[in-house]
Amino acid sequence: MNKEWSELNKVLQTQLKKESTYQDGIGTLFDLRGQLMKVLLSFEKELKREEFNAIPFINAKGYHCKTIAYSMWHVFRIEDIVAHSLICGDAQVFFSGDYQKRIGAPIITTGNELAGQQIADFSKELNIKELYSYITEVKESTEKMLRDLSYQDLKKRISEDQKEYLKSLDVVSTDENAIWLIDYWCKKDVRGLIQMPFSRHWIMHIEACLRIKNKIHP
């Protein structure tokens, strides 16, 4: 893991645990996310459209066995779902912004159910410009939510009603490689969700994207 990103992640997790350092933790989180987003934005300038579909490690185990386009979709669909459907209880950016149509996506899920060539084929269908609009809007909406959260809000847990509502949206596939996400998220409190989908999850997938990029641009 990138040492600077790893260190920021450790610091923010410690800061979020105490009320006296909670706001500092949110600031550290925004710093980390800003650095990571800068990497994603650099791809738009540096990569050709077809390179977003490249899957040079198709048979590998690990996050780098995906494509860059898929990784962007996956990270921000998860963030959108968790931030809006589980924490805020409002409409996902994906739906309010009509992003399925705009991106040209054949699915509305996180994409966990896809593997190998399915990921490459899925990536080819996406409008990359609109995908960038989506990830930018999701990032901004999440950070607005985080600014409004109090320290006490971090202790809130996901209710059974919220869990059932999430299931009703069909945004998580019933495939065995995806369905576990619902229980995984719903067992966490809000602090736990901040520490994974909103921070560490970004790091893991963006580091994998850099590995893909370095393979196709040695």
Side-chain angles (χ1 to χ4, degrees):
M1 186 180 285
N2 176 291
K3 288 184 179 179
E4 185 175 358
W5 297 343
S6 177
E7 186 58 33
L8 283 173
N9 191 48
K10 288 177 184 176
V11 169
L12 76 88
Q13 291 193 40
T14 299
Q15 290 173 326
L16 291 177
K17 290 177 182 177
K18 296 182 179 180
E19 189 166 8
S20 60
T21 55
Y22 162 62
Q23 288 297 336
D24 292 332
I26 295 298
T28 304
L29 174 61
F30 288 175
D31 183 11
L32 172 61
R33 286 163 60 90
Q35 291 187 32
L36 292 165
M37 190 68 166
K38 192 173 181 180
V39 173
L40 291 181
L41 293 174
S42 72
F43 294 155
E44 189 175 20
K45 298 177 182 177
E46 297 170 1
L47 299 179
K48 298 175 183 176
R49 172 62 190 89
E50 62 270 20
E51 290 174 330
F52 282 90
N53 314 329
I55 190 163
F57 302 104
I58 190 168
N59 295 316
K61 291 183 178 180
Y63 295 100
H64 58 295
C65 71
K66 320 293 184 183
T67 69
I68 290 174
Y70 169 92
S71 299
M72 290 166 58
W73 168 276
H74 173 74
V75 167
F76 287 90
R77 281 303 290 128
I78 283 181
E79 178 157 318
D80 195 8
I81 291 164
V82 170
H84 292 283
S85 296
L86 285 181
I87 298 177
C88 290
D90 59 5
Q92 293 173 30
V93 171
F94 187 75
F95 296 120
S96 62
D98 196 24
Y99 273 107
Q100 183 176 17
K101 181 178 179 181
R102 289 167 62 180
I103 296 172
I107 60 174
I108 65 170
T109 62
T110 64
N112 285 68
E113 68 275 18
L114 304 178
Q117 190 59 40
Q118 291 176 319
I119 289 174
D121 292 342
F122 165 75
S123 301
K124 293 173 186 175
E125 296 192 51
L126 306 183
N127 181 315
I128 294 297
K129 183 178 179 181
E130 292 293 350
L131 180 59
Y132 268 103
S133 294
Y134 176 61
I135 72 170
T136 300
E137 194 172 341
V138 170
K139 177 180 181 288
E140 290 173 354
S141 71
T142 297
E143 291 175 5
K144 180 181 184 301
M145 175 201 73
L146 290 169
R147 287 188 192 97
D148 293 339
L149 285 179
S150 70
Y151 177 73
Q152 296 305 318
D153 288 330
L154 299 188
K155 301 175 184 178
K156 291 181 179 177
R157 304 198 74 87
I158 306 303
S159 71
E160 196 61 32
D161 285 347
Q162 287 172 296
K163 183 177 180 179
E164 291 305 311
Y165 171 65
L166 176 59
K167 289 179 181 179
S168 75
L169 296 175
D170 294 325
V171 291
V172 177
S173 169
T174 56
D175 184 277
E176 65 179 359
N177 290 318
I179 194 63
W180 62 270
L181 280 170
I182 294 177
D183 284 336
Y184 176 78
W185 295 331
C186 292
K187 287 178 181 176
K188 293 181 178 289
D189 58 11
V190 171
R191 181 190 289 110
L193 293 172
I194 291 172
Q195 290 171 335
M196 184 53 183
F198 301 165
S199 53
R200 188 164 176 266
H201 194 232
W202 278 46
I203 295 172
M204 294 187 298
H205 279 284
I206 292 172
E207 286 193 327
C209 286
L210 284 170
R211 189 168 177 182
I212 294 167
K213 182 205 164 192
N214 292 337
K215 181 68 174 179
I216 59 180
H217 279 287

mmCIF file of all heavy atoms in Angstrom, residues 134-174:
data_model
loop_
_atom_site.group_PDB
_atom_site.id
_atom_site.type_symbol
_atom_site.label_atom_id
_atom_site.label_comp_id
_atom_site.label_asym_id
_atom_site.label_seq_id
_atom_site.Cartn_x
_atom_site.Cartn_y
_atom_site.Cartn_z
ATOM 1 N N TYR A 134 -20.318 11.177 -12.950
ATOM 2 C CA TYR A 134 -20.944 10.438 -11.851
ATOM 3 C C TYR A 134 -20.030 10.354 -10.636
ATOM 4 O O TYR A 134 -20.449 10.671 -9.516
ATOM 5 C CB TYR A 134 -21.316 9.038 -12.331
ATOM 6 C CG TYR A 134 -21.883 8.143 -11.242
ATOM 7 C CD1 TYR A 134 -23.051 8.485 -10.573
ATOM 8 C CD2 TYR A 134 -21.245 6.953 -10.891
ATOM 9 C CE1 TYR A 134 -23.577 7.673 -9.574
ATOM 10 C CE2 TYR A 134 -21.760 6.126 -9.901
ATOM 11 C CZ TYR A 134 -22.923 6.504 -9.245
ATOM 12 O OH TYR A 134 -23.435 5.694 -8.250
ATOM 13 N N ILE A 135 -18.779 9.955 -10.837
ATOM 14 C CA ILE A 135 -17.906 9.779 -9.676
ATOM 15 C C ILE A 135 -17.636 11.114 -8.983
ATOM 16 O O ILE A 135 -17.511 11.182 -7.761
ATOM 17 C CB ILE A 135 -16.590 9.043 -10.023
ATOM 18 C CG1 ILE A 135 -15.639 9.914 -10.836
ATOM 19 C CG2 ILE A 135 -16.870 7.727 -10.748
ATOM 20 C CD1 ILE A 135 -14.243 9.312 -10.993
ATOM 21 N N THR A 136 -17.569 12.181 -9.759
ATOM 22 C CA THR A 136 -17.357 13.511 -9.177
ATOM 23 C C THR A 136 -18.552 13.926 -8.332
ATOM 24 O O THR A 136 -18.397 14.436 -7.215
ATOM 25 C CB THR A 136 -17.106 14.544 -10.290
ATOM 26 O OG1 THR A 136 -15.949 14.157 -11.040
ATOM 27 C CG2 THR A 136 -16.891 15.933 -9.704
ATOM 28 N N GLU A 137 -19.750 13.677 -8.851
ATOM 29 C CA GLU A 137 -20.958 14.054 -8.119
ATOM 30 C C GLU A 137 -21.138 13.208 -6.856
ATOM 31 O O GLU A 137 -21.554 13.716 -5.811
ATOM 32 C CB GLU A 137 -22.181 13.927 -9.033
ATOM 33 C CG GLU A 137 -23.411 14.607 -8.473
ATOM 34 C CD GLU A 137 -24.576 14.652 -9.451
ATOM 35 O OE1 GLU A 137 -24.352 14.485 -10.678
ATOM 36 O OE2 GLU A 137 -25.712 14.856 -8.980
ATOM 37 N N VAL A 138 -20.813 11.926 -6.948
ATOM 38 C CA VAL A 138 -20.911 11.055 -5.768
ATOM 39 C C VAL A 138 -19.928 11.522 -4.695
ATOM 40 O O VAL A 138 -20.289 11.628 -3.514
ATOM 41 C CB VAL A 138 -20.647 9.585 -6.133
ATOM 42 C CG1 VAL A 138 -20.510 8.729 -4.874
ATOM 43 C CG2 VAL A 138 -21.780 9.045 -6.994
ATOM 44 N N LYS A 139 -18.699 11.781 -5.080
ATOM 45 C CA LYS A 139 -17.696 12.251 -4.111
ATOM 46 C C LYS A 139 -18.188 13.514 -3.404
ATOM 47 O O LYS A 139 -18.124 13.622 -2.169
ATOM 48 C CB LYS A 139 -16.367 12.527 -4.815
ATOM 49 C CG LYS A 139 -15.283 13.090 -3.894
ATOM 50 C CD LYS A 139 -13.988 13.336 -4.663
ATOM 51 C CE LYS A 139 -12.890 13.882 -3.749
ATOM 52 N NZ LYS A 139 -13.124 15.277 -3.338
ATOM 53 N N GLU A 140 -18.689 14.466 -4.158
ATOM 54 C CA GLU A 140 -19.144 15.728 -3.573
ATOM 55 C C GLU A 140 -20.333 15.513 -2.644
ATOM 56 O O GLU A 140 -20.404 16.113 -1.564
ATOM 57 C CB GLU A 140 -19.506 16.717 -4.684
ATOM 58 C CG GLU A 140 -18.286 17.224 -5.451
ATOM 59 C CD GLU A 140 -18.651 18.061 -6.664
ATOM 60 O OE1 GLU A 140 -19.870 18.162 -6.987
ATOM 61 O OE2 GLU A 140 -17.737 18.609 -7.299
ATOM 62 N N SER A 141 -21.249 14.654 -3.042
ATOM 63 C CA SER A 141 -22.444 14.433 -2.214
ATOM 64 C C SER A 141 -22.088 13.705 -0.918
ATOM 65 O O SER A 141 -22.642 13.997 0.140
ATOM 66 C CB SER A 141 -23.512 13.650 -2.993
ATOM 67 O OG SER A 141 -23.131 12.304 -3.193
ATOM 68 N N THR A 142 -21.156 12.774 -1.003
ATOM 69 C CA THR A 142 -20.708 12.064 0.204
ATOM 70 C C THR A 142 -20.034 13.033 1.168
ATOM 71 O O THR A 142 -20.287 12.998 2.382
ATOM 72 C CB THR A 142 -19.731 10.933 -0.162
ATOM 73 O OG1 THR A 142 -20.400 9.976 -0.979
ATOM 74 C CG2 THR A 142 -19.207 10.230 1.092
ATOM 75 N N GLU A 143 -19.200 13.884 0.646
ATOM 76 C CA GLU A 143 -18.460 14.794 1.517
ATOM 77 C C GLU A 143 -19.369 15.860 2.127
ATOM 78 O O GLU A 143 -19.135 16.296 3.257
ATOM 79 C CB GLU A 143 -17.273 15.372 0.752
ATOM 80 C CG GLU A 143 -16.241 14.268 0.484
ATOM 81 C CD GLU A 143 -15.063 14.672 -0.372
ATOM 82 O OE1 GLU A 143 -14.940 15.867 -0.724
ATOM 83 O OE2 GLU A 143 -14.257 13.771 -0.695
ATOM 84 N N LYS A 144 -20.408 16.235 1.422
ATOM 85 C CA LYS A 144 -21.408 17.129 2.015
ATOM 86 C C LYS A 144 -22.083 16.434 3.199
ATOM 87 O O LYS A 144 -22.280 17.024 4.265
ATOM 88 C CB LYS A 144 -22.456 17.535 0.980
ATOM 89 C CG LYS A 144 -23.533 18.465 1.531
ATOM 90 C CD LYS A 144 -24.552 18.812 0.472
ATOM 91 C CE LYS A 144 -25.551 19.828 1.015
ATOM 92 N NZ LYS A 144 -26.273 19.343 2.208
ATOM 93 N N MET A 145 -22.431 15.164 3.011
ATOM 94 C CA MET A 145 -23.041 14.382 4.086
ATOM 95 C C MET A 145 -22.100 14.284 5.283
ATOM 96 O O MET A 145 -22.505 14.469 6.433
ATOM 97 C CB MET A 145 -23.373 12.982 3.586
ATOM 98 C CG MET A 145 -23.896 12.040 4.667
ATOM 99 S SD MET A 145 -23.721 10.304 4.219
ATOM 100 C CE MET A 145 -21.951 10.067 4.396
ATOM 101 N N LEU A 146 -20.818 14.006 5.011
ATOM 102 C CA LEU A 146 -19.858 13.837 6.084
ATOM 103 C C LEU A 146 -19.655 15.124 6.888
ATOM 104 O O LEU A 146 -19.469 15.089 8.103
ATOM 105 C CB LEU A 146 -18.516 13.354 5.522
ATOM 106 C CG LEU A 146 -18.510 11.913 4.984
ATOM 107 C CD1 LEU A 146 -17.227 11.631 4.216
ATOM 108 C CD2 LEU A 146 -18.687 10.908 6.116
ATOM 109 N N ARG A 147 -19.711 16.255 6.217
ATOM 110 C CA ARG A 147 -19.585 17.534 6.922
ATOM 111 C C ARG A 147 -20.743 17.750 7.892
ATOM 112 O O ARG A 147 -20.586 18.412 8.914
ATOM 113 C CB ARG A 147 -19.547 18.691 5.918
ATOM 114 C CG ARG A 147 -18.260 18.804 5.133
ATOM 115 C CD ARG A 147 -18.217 20.068 4.297
ATOM 116 N NE ARG A 147 -17.113 20.014 3.346
ATOM 117 C CZ ARG A 147 -17.241 19.637 2.079
ATOM 118 N NH1 ARG A 147 -18.424 19.300 1.596
ATOM 119 N NH2 ARG A 147 -16.178 19.610 1.291
ATOM 120 N N ASP A 148 -21.900 17.196 7.562
ATOM 121 C CA ASP A 148 -23.100 17.396 8.370
ATOM 122 C C ASP A 148 -23.248 16.392 9.505
ATOM 123 O O ASP A 148 -24.100 16.544 10.374
ATOM 124 C CB ASP A 148 -24.357 17.331 7.478
ATOM 125 C CG ASP A 148 -24.446 18.497 6.492
ATOM 126 O OD1 ASP A 148 -23.784 19.532 6.752
ATOM 127 O OD2 ASP A 148 -25.146 18.368 5.482
ATOM 128 N N LEU A 149 -22.422 15.339 9.493
ATOM 129 C CA LEU A 149 -22.523 14.316 10.531
ATOM 130 C C LEU A 149 -21.916 14.807 11.840
ATOM 131 O O LEU A 149 -20.838 15.400 11.851
ATOM 132 C CB LEU A 149 -21.795 13.035 10.108
ATOM 133 C CG LEU A 149 -22.434 12.129 9.059
ATOM 134 C CD1 LEU A 149 -21.517 10.943 8.795
ATOM 135 C CD2 LEU A 149 -23.805 11.649 9.495
ATOM 136 N N SER A 150 -22.577 14.514 12.932
ATOM 137 C CA SER A 150 -22.008 14.807 14.247
ATOM 138 C C SER A 150 -21.226 13.588 14.741
ATOM 139 O O SER A 150 -21.368 12.481 14.193
ATOM 140 C CB SER A 150 -23.114 15.129 15.251
ATOM 141 O OG SER A 150 -23.863 13.948 15.544
ATOM 142 N N TYR A 151 -20.451 13.777 15.779
ATOM 143 C CA TYR A 151 -19.713 12.656 16.361
ATOM 144 C C TYR A 151 -20.677 11.563 16.826
ATOM 145 O O TYR A 151 -20.413 10.376 16.653
ATOM 146 C CB TYR A 151 -18.858 13.141 17.535
ATOM 147 C CG TYR A 151 -18.117 12.027 18.224
ATOM 148 C CD1 TYR A 151 -17.014 11.425 17.620
ATOM 149 C CD2 TYR A 151 -18.530 11.549 19.469
ATOM 150 C CE1 TYR A 151 -16.332 10.380 18.243
ATOM 151 C CE2 TYR A 151 -17.850 10.507 20.100
ATOM 152 C CZ TYR A 151 -16.758 9.931 19.481
ATOM 153 O OH TYR A 151 -16.088 8.902 20.087
ATOM 154 N N GLN A 152 -21.809 11.967 17.392
ATOM 155 C CA GLN A 152 -22.798 10.994 17.867
ATOM 156 C C GLN A 152 -23.388 10.181 16.724
ATOM 157 O O GLN A 152 -23.757 9.019 16.902
ATOM 158 C CB GLN A 152 -23.911 11.710 18.637
ATOM 159 C CG GLN A 152 -23.436 12.406 19.906
ATOM 160 C CD GLN A 152 -22.705 11.465 20.860
ATOM 161 O OE1 GLN A 152 -23.121 10.327 21.058
ATOM 162 N NE2 GLN A 152 -21.597 11.941 21.442
ATOM 163 N N ASP A 153 -23.473 10.788 15.548
ATOM 164 C CA ASP A 153 -24.022 10.078 14.380
ATOM 165 C C ASP A 153 -23.172 8.867 14.003
ATOM 166 O O ASP A 153 -23.679 7.906 13.416
ATOM 167 C CB ASP A 153 -24.108 11.014 13.165
ATOM 168 C CG ASP A 153 -25.199 12.056 13.296
ATOM 169 O OD1 ASP A 153 -26.218 11.775 13.967
ATOM 170 O OD2 ASP A 153 -25.035 13.155 12.726
ATOM 171 N N LEU A 154 -21.888 8.904 14.342
ATOM 172 C CA LEU A 154 -20.986 7.811 13.974
ATOM 173 C C LEU A 154 -21.360 6.501 14.646
ATOM 174 O O LEU A 154 -21.015 5.428 14.160
ATOM 175 C CB LEU A 154 -19.546 8.151 14.352
ATOM 176 C CG LEU A 154 -18.888 9.375 13.714
ATOM 177 C CD1 LEU A 154 -17.416 9.402 14.069
ATOM 178 C CD2 LEU A 154 -19.063 9.371 12.207
ATOM 179 N N LYS A 155 -22.074 6.595 15.758
ATOM 180 C CA LYS A 155 -22.433 5.402 16.522
ATOM 181 C C LYS A 155 -23.715 4.730 16.027
ATOM 182 O O LYS A 155 -24.074 3.648 16.490
ATOM 183 C CB LYS A 155 -22.586 5.767 17.999
ATOM 184 C CG LYS A 155 -21.323 6.373 18.609
ATOM 185 C CD LYS A 155 -21.566 6.825 20.035
ATOM 186 C CE LYS A 155 -20.345 7.518 20.622
ATOM 187 N NZ LYS A 155 -20.572 8.002 22.001
ATOM 188 N N LYS A 156 -24.396 5.397 15.094
ATOM 189 C CA LYS A 156 -25.662 4.843 14.603
ATOM 190 C C LYS A 156 -25.425 3.559 13.822
ATOM 191 O O LYS A 156 -24.480 3.439 13.053
ATOM 192 C CB LYS A 156 -26.379 5.864 13.715
ATOM 193 C CG LYS A 156 -26.901 7.069 14.462
ATOM 194 C CD LYS A 156 -27.621 8.030 13.522
ATOM 195 C CE LYS A 156 -28.166 9.245 14.274
ATOM 196 N NZ LYS A 156 -28.796 10.219 13.348
ATOM 197 N N ARG A 157 -26.318 2.602 14.034
ATOM 198 C CA ARG A 157 -26.227 1.327 13.321
ATOM 199 C C ARG A 157 -27.354 1.235 12.291
ATOM 200 O O ARG A 157 -28.352 1.949 12.375
ATOM 201 C CB ARG A 157 -26.299 0.164 14.310
ATOM 202 C CG ARG A 157 -25.233 0.256 15.401
ATOM 203 C CD ARG A 157 -25.014 -1.062 16.085
ATOM 204 N NE ARG A 157 -24.272 -1.992 15.231
ATOM 205 C CZ ARG A 157 -22.945 -2.050 15.167
ATOM 206 N NH1 ARG A 157 -22.204 -1.234 15.893
ATOM 207 N NH2 ARG A 157 -22.344 -2.917 14.392
ATOM 208 N N ILE A 158 -27.169 0.357 11.335
ATOM 209 C CA ILE A 158 -28.154 0.184 10.271
ATOM 210 C C ILE A 158 -29.316 -0.659 10.794
ATOM 211 O O ILE A 158 -29.110 -1.757 11.319
ATOM 212 C CB ILE A 158 -27.512 -0.485 9.031
ATOM 213 C CG1 ILE A 158 -26.269 0.300 8.583
ATOM 214 C CG2 ILE A 158 -28.522 -0.597 7.914
ATOM 215 C CD1 ILE A 158 -26.495 1.742 8.256
ATOM 216 N N SER A 159 -30.531 -0.157 10.643
ATOM 217 C CA SER A 159 -31.712 -0.869 11.138
ATOM 218 C C SER A 159 -32.137 -1.970 10.170
ATOM 219 O O SER A 159 -31.732 -1.991 9.001
ATOM 220 C CB SER A 159 -32.870 0.107 11.333
ATOM 221 O OG SER A 159 -33.353 0.544 10.068
ATOM 222 N N GLU A 160 -32.988 -2.862 10.675
ATOM 223 C CA GLU A 160 -33.506 -3.940 9.825
ATOM 224 C C GLU A 160 -34.347 -3.371 8.693
ATOM 225 O O GLU A 160 -34.337 -3.890 7.574
ATOM 226 C CB GLU A 160 -34.331 -4.913 10.667
ATOM 227 C CG GLU A 160 -34.598 -6.250 9.998
ATOM 228 C CD GLU A 160 -33.329 -7.048 9.679
ATOM 229 O OE1 GLU A 160 -32.342 -6.938 10.420
ATOM 230 O OE2 GLU A 160 -33.341 -7.773 8.657
ATOM 231 N N ASP A 161 -35.085 -2.283 8.981
ATOM 232 C CA ASP A 161 -35.897 -1.640 7.935
ATOM 233 C C ASP A 161 -35.012 -1.079 6.829
ATOM 234 O O ASP A 161 -35.348 -1.194 5.638
ATOM 235 C CB ASP A 161 -36.744 -0.510 8.533
ATOM 236 C CG ASP A 161 -37.935 -1.031 9.320
ATOM 237 O OD1 ASP A 161 -38.252 -2.241 9.193
ATOM 238 O OD2 ASP A 161 -38.544 -0.245 10.074
ATOM 239 N N GLN A 162 -33.891 -0.477 7.203
ATOM 240 C CA GLN A 162 -32.957 0.054 6.209
ATOM 241 C C GLN A 162 -32.370 -1.072 5.351
ATOM 242 O O GLN A 162 -32.195 -0.931 4.147
ATOM 243 C CB GLN A 162 -31.824 0.815 6.904
ATOM 244 C CG GLN A 162 -32.222 2.151 7.482
ATOM 245 C CD GLN A 162 -31.108 2.757 8.312
ATOM 246 O OE1 GLN A 162 -30.725 2.197 9.348
ATOM 247 N NE2 GLN A 162 -30.564 3.875 7.870
ATOM 248 N N LYS A 163 -32.079 -2.181 6.005
ATOM 249 C CA LYS A 163 -31.535 -3.337 5.299
ATOM 250 C C LYS A 163 -32.539 -3.868 4.279
ATOM 251 O O LYS A 163 -32.176 -4.166 3.129
ATOM 252 C CB LYS A 163 -31.167 -4.433 6.301
ATOM 253 C CG LYS A 163 -30.513 -5.658 5.690
ATOM 254 C CD LYS A 163 -30.114 -6.646 6.790
ATOM 255 C CE LYS A 163 -29.459 -7.881 6.220
ATOM 256 N NZ LYS A 163 -29.048 -8.835 7.292
ATOM 257 N N GLU A 164 -33.794 -3.984 4.682
ATOM 258 C CA GLU A 164 -34.833 -4.472 3.773
ATOM 259 C C GLU A 164 -35.065 -3.497 2.627
ATOM 260 O O GLU A 164 -35.305 -3.900 1.487
ATOM 261 C CB GLU A 164 -36.131 -4.729 4.543
ATOM 262 C CG GLU A 164 -36.051 -5.914 5.503
ATOM 263 C CD GLU A 164 -35.604 -7.202 4.812
ATOM 264 O OE1 GLU A 164 -36.164 -7.538 3.756
ATOM 265 O OE2 GLU A 164 -34.696 -7.869 5.348
ATOM 266 N N TYR A 165 -34.983 -2.196 2.941
ATOM 267 C CA TYR A 165 -35.127 -1.177 1.890
ATOM 268 C C TYR A 165 -34.018 -1.331 0.862
ATOM 269 O O TYR A 165 -34.261 -1.286 -0.352
ATOM 270 C CB TYR A 165 -35.096 0.216 2.517
ATOM 271 C CG TYR A 165 -35.016 1.334 1.507
ATOM 272 C CD1 TYR A 165 -36.065 1.577 0.614
ATOM 273 C CD2 TYR A 165 -33.885 2.143 1.423
ATOM 274 C CE1 TYR A 165 -35.986 2.588 -0.328
ATOM 275 C CE2 TYR A 165 -33.802 3.166 0.487
ATOM 276 C CZ TYR A 165 -34.851 3.387 -0.384
ATOM 277 O OH TYR A 165 -34.770 4.388 -1.321
ATOM 278 N N LEU A 166 -32.796 -1.527 1.347
ATOM 279 C CA LEU A 166 -31.671 -1.708 0.437
ATOM 280 C C LEU A 166 -31.901 -2.912 -0.480
ATOM 281 O O LEU A 166 -31.687 -2.838 -1.693
ATOM 282 C CB LEU A 166 -30.379 -1.899 1.234
ATOM 283 C CG LEU A 166 -29.120 -2.206 0.421
ATOM 284 C CD1 LEU A 166 -28.812 -1.102 -0.569
ATOM 285 C CD2 LEU A 166 -27.930 -2.428 1.361
ATOM 286 N N LYS A 167 -32.362 -4.005 0.096
ATOM 287 C CA LYS A 167 -32.637 -5.197 -0.714
ATOM 288 C C LYS A 167 -33.663 -4.909 -1.806
ATOM 289 O O LYS A 167 -33.555 -5.396 -2.932
ATOM 290 C CB LYS A 167 -33.141 -6.336 0.174
ATOM 291 C CG LYS A 167 -32.086 -6.950 1.085
ATOM 292 C CD LYS A 167 -32.704 -8.055 1.933
ATOM 293 C CE LYS A 167 -31.704 -8.696 2.878
ATOM 294 N NZ LYS A 167 -32.334 -9.744 3.712
ATOM 295 N N SER A 168 -34.657 -4.089 -1.464
ATOM 296 C CA SER A 168 -35.751 -3.801 -2.407
ATOM 297 C C SER A 168 -35.287 -3.002 -3.622
ATOM 298 O O SER A 168 -35.954 -2.992 -4.661
ATOM 299 C CB SER A 168 -36.874 -3.041 -1.702
ATOM 300 O OG SER A 168 -36.514 -1.683 -1.470
ATOM 301 N N LEU A 169 -34.153 -2.336 -3.509
ATOM 302 C CA LEU A 169 -33.653 -1.498 -4.607
ATOM 303 C C LEU A 169 -32.986 -2.307 -5.717
ATOM 304 O O LEU A 169 -32.777 -1.795 -6.823
ATOM 305 C CB LEU A 169 -32.658 -0.468 -4.074
ATOM 306 C CG LEU A 169 -33.198 0.579 -3.098
ATOM 307 C CD1 LEU A 169 -32.052 1.444 -2.572
ATOM 308 C CD2 LEU A 169 -34.267 1.447 -3.751
ATOM 309 N N ASP A 170 -32.618 -3.550 -5.418
ATOM 310 C CA ASP A 170 -31.941 -4.425 -6.388
ATOM 311 C C ASP A 170 -30.633 -3.846 -6.909
ATOM 312 O O ASP A 170 -30.248 -4.083 -8.065
ATOM 313 C CB ASP A 170 -32.872 -4.745 -7.566
ATOM 314 C CG ASP A 170 -34.082 -5.575 -7.156
ATOM 315 O OD1 ASP A 170 -33.935 -6.419 -6.257
ATOM 316 O OD2 ASP A 170 -35.172 -5.355 -7.720
ATOM 317 N N VAL A 171 -29.936 -3.101 -6.060
ATOM 318 C CA VAL A 171 -28.656 -2.525 -6.472
ATOM 319 C C VAL A 171 -27.474 -3.401 -6.070
ATOM 320 O O VAL A 171 -26.324 -3.088 -6.386
ATOM 321 C CB VAL A 171 -28.476 -1.099 -5.901
ATOM 322 C CG1 VAL A 171 -29.457 -0.139 -6.554
ATOM 323 C CG2 VAL A 171 -28.623 -1.084 -4.384
ATOM 324 N N VAL A 172 -27.770 -4.487 -5.370
ATOM 325 C CA VAL A 172 -26.761 -5.507 -5.064
ATOM 326 C C VAL A 172 -27.255 -6.814 -5.665
ATOM 327 O O VAL A 172 -28.366 -7.263 -5.369
ATOM 328 C CB VAL A 172 -26.547 -5.667 -3.545
ATOM 329 C CG1 VAL A 172 -25.545 -6.787 -3.264
ATOM 330 C CG2 VAL A 172 -26.054 -4.363 -2.926
ATOM 331 N N SER A 173 -26.456 -7.400 -6.514
ATOM 332 C CA SER A 173 -26.848 -8.654 -7.166
ATOM 333 C C SER A 173 -27.043 -9.772 -6.139
ATOM 334 O O SER A 173 -26.392 -9.788 -5.091
ATOM 335 C CB SER A 173 -25.773 -9.068 -8.171
ATOM 336 O OG SER A 173 -25.980 -10.381 -8.650
ATOM 337 N N THR A 174 -27.934 -10.702 -6.460
ATOM 338 C CA THR A 174 -28.135 -11.869 -5.597
ATOM 339 C C THR A 174 -27.082 -12.941 -5.833
ATOM 340 O O THR A 174 -27.078 -13.976 -5.176
ATOM 341 C CB THR A 174 -29.532 -12.477 -5.822
ATOM 342 O OG1 THR A 174 -29.682 -12.791 -7.215
ATOM 343 C CG2 THR A 174 -30.626 -11.496 -5.402
#
